[in-house]
């Protein structure tokens, strides 16, 4: 019996299968952790989005209430203006609340503009008029307030089902940031809200650094979120150049097409650390098993050689 042949068979039949088993085990362990991390990220992102959705639903309720009153033929402009002013005294998240006529001219506003203001060219006015439902804008600088905000509008329909104008209000970017600040975000994680053009409306952390910046061309996740308009998750690099597990989705709210998107990113340590630990444990066990087999093989070869049954 040839010693080299025995060693070769040992390598082929023992060492390579063990290495293969280790590699396959680690691969499936990594895939399981990756899928679990994506599921967890999607769950947290959905939770984060609900906080913003709640605010938008409250906004829709406000606009519907004012719209219902404004749709009456004997609308009392003084009473409506007093009502919405009092409401804004209680809820300061809104920049202003106003009403336009069918041509887009602002006829009532909590803030009295110096000059005549027409909103007919605004996309949210046009969409509310066409869809007869809640509409939302991208980030805009208000013509009345001069502040950056996301504007929501709801149509006013009279008793004959004719379009008579819109009720509109703006949610300030500071409000969106306050919502994000109230959320628990793990260490080395981030959450951001974007408009349909990829402009950051709010972010945690480093809101002041990133707010107002368009990241559509430098951030793959933003492009996917806006183009797909559905739930998704992937592993990639964020705008801070850190690799993270990202989850993305549109902000879903009643009656409207999504114009706002939320993206959360979480450290890939939740994948890497368990894989490292798993690999260390398996490597130790593999090494011990290999040493035992090597010793056994050595003793067998030594015995065979002693009996003269082994060729060198």
């Amino acid at each position: 019996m040839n010693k080299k042949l025995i060693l070769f068979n040992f390598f082929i039949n023992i060492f390579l299968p063990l290495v293969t088993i280790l590699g396959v085990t680690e691969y499936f362990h990594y895939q399981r952790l990756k899928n679990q991390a994506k599921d967890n990220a999607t769950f947290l992102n959905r939770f984060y989005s609900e906080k913003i959705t709640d605010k938008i639903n409250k906004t829709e309720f406000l606009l519907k209430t004012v719209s219902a009153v404004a749709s009456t033929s004997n609308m009392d402009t003084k009473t409506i203006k007093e009502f919405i002013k009092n409401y804004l005294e209680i809820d300061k998240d809104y920049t202003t609340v106003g009403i336009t006529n069918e041509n887009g001219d602002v006829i009532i506003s909590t803030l009295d503009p110096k000059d005549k203001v027409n909103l007919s060219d605004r996309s949210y006015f046009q969409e509310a008029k066409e869809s007869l439902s809640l509409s939302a804008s991208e980030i805009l600088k208000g013509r009345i307030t001069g502040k950056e905000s996301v504007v929501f509008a709801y149509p006013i329909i009279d008793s004959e089902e004719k379009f008579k104008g819109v009720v509109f209000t703006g949610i300030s970017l500071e409000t969106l940031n306050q919502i994000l600040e109230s959320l628990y975000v793990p260490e080395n994680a981030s959450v951001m809200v974007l408009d349909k053009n990829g402009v950051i409306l709010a972010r945690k952390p480093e809101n002041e650094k990133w707010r107002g910046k368009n990241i559509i061309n430098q951030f793959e996740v933003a492009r996917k979120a806006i183009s797909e308009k559905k739930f998704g998750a992937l592993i990639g690099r964020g705008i801070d150049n850190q690799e993270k597990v990202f989850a993305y989705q549109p902000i879903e709210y009643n009656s409207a097409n999504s114009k706002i998107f939320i993206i959360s990113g979480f450290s890939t340590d939740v994948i890497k650390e368990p894989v490292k630990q798993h690999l260390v444990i398996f490597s130790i066990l593999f090494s011990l098993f290999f040493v035992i087999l090597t010793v056994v093989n050595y003793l067998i070869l030594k015995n065979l050689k002693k009996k003269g049954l082994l060729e060198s």
Side-chain angles (χ1 to χ4, degrees):
M1 188 177 293
N2 189 286
K3 181 179 178 181
K4 292 182 179 179
L5 181 61
I6 292 175
L7 292 174
F8 178 75
N9 287 333
F10 173 76
F11 180 79
I12 294 297
N13 297 320
I14 303 297
F15 182 76
L16 286 183
L18 284 175
V19 172
T20 301
I21 291 172
L22 178 62
V24 171
T25 301
E26 285 306 311
Y27 172 77
F28 282 108
H29 183 57
Y30 171 77
Q31 291 298 322
R32 182 179 65 81
L33 288 172
K34 186 170 72 170
N35 292 332
Q36 183 179 349
K38 287 181 179 180
D39 289 342
N40 292 339
T42 300
F43 173 80
L44 281 173
N45 201 52
R46 187 190 294 268
F47 172 77
Y48 293 159
S49 72
E50 288 177 355
K51 301 298 181 180
I52 299 174
T53 303
D54 287 345
K55 186 63 187 178
I56 295 175
N57 287 339
K58 290 178 182 177
T59 301
E60 182 175 20
F61 178 76
L62 167 64
L63 295 179
K64 281 183 175 180
T65 301
V66 178
S67 173
V69 176
S71 64
T72 59
S73 57
N74 57 344
M75 177 180 68
D76 184 348
T77 57
K78 183 178 180 180
T79 301
I80 292 179
K81 188 170 183 178
E82 184 177 348
F83 166 75
I84 56 180
K85 273 192 171 183
N86 289 336
Y87 186 90
L88 262 62
E89 286 295 321
I90 300 171
D91 191 340
K92 299 184 182 300
D93 291 341
Y94 302 105
T95 55
T96 186
V97 177
I99 298 174
T100 76
N101 60 21
E102 60 270 28
N103 298 318
D105 297 322
V106 176
I107 55 177
I108 297 176
S109 173
T110 52
L111 297 175
D112 297 318
K114 294 179 180 179
D115 302 313
K116 180 179 178 181
V117 176
N118 185 280
L119 303 177
S120 61
D121 62 326
R122 294 294 206 189
S123 60
Y124 60 82
F125 177 90
Q126 297 167 0
E127 185 177 328
K129 182 178 181 179
E130 292 173 5
S131 67
L132 298 182
S133 63
L134 183 69
S135 67
S137 75
E138 64 279 11
I139 182 173
L140 289 175
K141 187 173 183 180
R143 289 175 179 167
I144 297 175
T145 65
K147 297 179 180 179
E148 290 186 324
S149 61
V150 178
V151 181
F152 291 84
Y154 194 83
I156 300 171
I157 310 297
D158 66 13
S159 58
E160 298 179 355
E161 300 298 316
K162 291 182 180 180
F163 175 77
K164 302 298 292 183
V166 302
V167 183
F168 64 90
T169 188
I171 297 181
S172 67
L173 300 189
E174 188 56 39
T175 295
L176 294 177
N177 181 54
Q178 288 172 0
I179 293 174
L180 295 193
E181 284 298 322
S182 69
L183 301 174
Y184 167 73
V185 178
E187 187 177 358
N188 298 324
S190 63
V191 57
M192 68 177 74
V193 180
L194 310 174
D195 71 10
K196 64 178 182 178
N197 297 318
V199 177
I200 297 178
L201 305 177
R203 186 182 189 271
K204 181 179 181 179
E206 300 181 311
N207 178 64
E208 292 302 320
K209 177 180 178 181
W210 294 104
R211 186 173 70 184
K213 291 189 177 181
N214 192 316
I215 59 170
I216 193 70
N217 294 323
Q218 68 186 85
F219 192 26
E220 177 191 3
V221 184
R223 293 194 296 273
K224 289 181 72 66
I226 294 170
S227 62
E228 293 179 3
K229 292 182 172 63
K230 62 181 183 181
F231 292 83
L234 57 82
I235 296 176
R237 293 200 172 274
I239 56 178
D240 54 5
N241 204 34
Q242 298 294 316
E243 187 179 58
K244 292 179 182 176
V245 183
F246 288 102
Y248 56 88
Q249 69 177 81
I251 297 292
E252 298 176 323
Y253 46 90
N254 299 338
S255 307
N257 294 323
S258 298
K259 298 291 182 63
I260 304 172
F261 304 85
I262 186 167
I263 299 174
S264 300
F266 304 90
S267 173
T268 52
D269 287 346
V270 294
I271 301 173
K272 292 178 180 179
E273 291 304 318
V275 167
K276 288 179 182 178
Q277 295 172 9
H278 194 263
L279 183 60
V280 168
I281 294 172
F282 261 66
S283 297
I284 293 172
L285 294 175
F286 170 80
S287 299
L288 289 174
F289 187 59
F290 183 71
V291 168
I292 293 170
L293 287 177
T294 302
V295 171
V296 170
N297 187 64
Y298 170 77
L299 293 175
I300 292 173
L301 291 176
K302 186 177 181 180
N303 187 50
L304 290 174
K305 187 175 181 180
K306 185 177 181 181
K307 293 180 179 181
L309 299 175
L310 182 64
E311 299 175 6
S312 29

